[in-house]
Amino acid sequence: MKRRVGVLISGRGSNLGALIRAAAAPDFPASVALVVSNEPAAAGLALAAAAGIPTRTLPHRPHGRDRAAHEQAIQDTLEAHAIELVCLAGYMRRLTPFLVERWAGRMLNIHPSLLPAFPGLDTHARALAAGVALHGCTVHLVTAELDSGPILAQAAVPVLPGDSESELAARVLAQEHLLYPAALRAHIEDRAMRPAPGASLANPLPQLRSEP
Ligand code: GAR
């Protein structure tokens, strides 16, 4: 039986798309059973609807500062759809312990940096400003502290001379789309993701490759 995954988004939804494509494989251990957006205009909602996945828009603004009320609405929706695991995929709102603790060990996030480097926003610009040679993305379990839960998987990319922010972001995003489904699968199947034996010391983190 595939595990029922709920995906929370706020925007474009390209990682959602990667999860939907991966979940279409009969042997993938999860199905995307619900997509929730806090932003009514999120492009990812149309992507999900086109794939026949139920969508819900739960805007946070009507709740003002009452984060618990908004998170209760999310929780009620997840329960109504019998969701077993939650994937944050570009969900750009901080969650409080109210929701995080209910999903401890069952809520994943993808972040566009090699955590613990560059938590928060503008990761690509900050990586360029810091002059790092390697950048990448991380899938981690969500805890109450922002972008700091246990790391499940990472993929690295080189920072090339003259990279613009958008060039670096695109290189990282291509890895995100491979990493998130792989990390979700490994988490469900209870397999740790580790660099392949023999990975070179110069670039010890794996770069994932698309299936041929
Ligand atoms: C992705 O790069 C994701 O890693 C990032 O937002 C983007 C969403 O793109 N998430 C965060 O920064 C969370 N801290 P998408 O909507 O196309 O998947």
Side-chain angles (χ1 to χ4, degrees):
M1 275 289 277
K2 288 187 176 229
R3 307 289 290 274
R4 293 174 62 81
V5 170
V7 182
L8 269 55
I9 62 167
S10 297
R12 178 177 57 182
S14 71
N15 277 288
L16 164 67
L19 291 170
I20 292 172
R21 286 191 296 279
D27 72 337
F28 195 81
S31 63
V32 179
L34 173 70
V35 173
V36 174
S37 174
N38 65 316
E39 292 290 353
L45 287 168
L47 198 71
I53 297 167
T55 61
R56 294 289 179 272
T57 302
L58 298 174
H60 56 275
R61 291 183 189 87
H63 297 286
R65 288 169 184 268
D66 192 351
R67 285 178 178 263
H70 181 234
E71 292 186 5
Q72 182 70 63
I74 295 174
Q75 178 66 19
D76 292 347
T77 305
L78 295 172
E79 283 177 16
H81 288 80
I83 295 305
E84 299 170 279
L85 282 153
V86 174
C87 287
L88 307 183
Y91 185 71
M92 301 310 278
R93 201 153 163 82
R94 278 186 90 137
L95 293 173
T96 74
F98 180 90
L99 201 61
V100 169
E101 284 170 8
R102 281 167 177 73
W103 291 91
R106 297 183 299 143
M107 182 182 274
L108 283 61
N109 180 44
I110 187 152
H111 182 76
S113 78
L114 293 173
L115 291 172
F118 312 122
L121 299 175
D122 301 322
T123 56
H124 309 305
R126 288 157 62 208
L128 287 173
V132 294
L134 282 177
H135 186 43
C137 50
T138 302
V139 175
H140 65 96
L141 290 174
V142 176
T143 55
E145 204 181 328
L146 185 71
D147 300 329
S148 67
I151 290 171
L152 298 178
Q154 294 185 304
V157 300
V159 180
L160 301 179
D163 260 351
S164 67
E165 189 180 340
S166 62
E167 286 166 336
L168 183 56
R171 196 174 306 126
V172 171
L173 191 65
Q175 291 295 305
E176 292 186 42
H177 296 163
L178 298 172
L179 188 69
Y180 211 174
L184 175 62
R185 176 194 279 277
H187 185 59
I188 292 172
E189 294 176 349
D190 203 17
R191 289 184 290 110
M193 286 184 73
R194 291 284 173 260
S200 81
L201 280 179
N203 187 358
L205 295 168
Q207 262 197 53
L208 302 174
R209 297 195 193 292
S210 307
E211 296 294 322

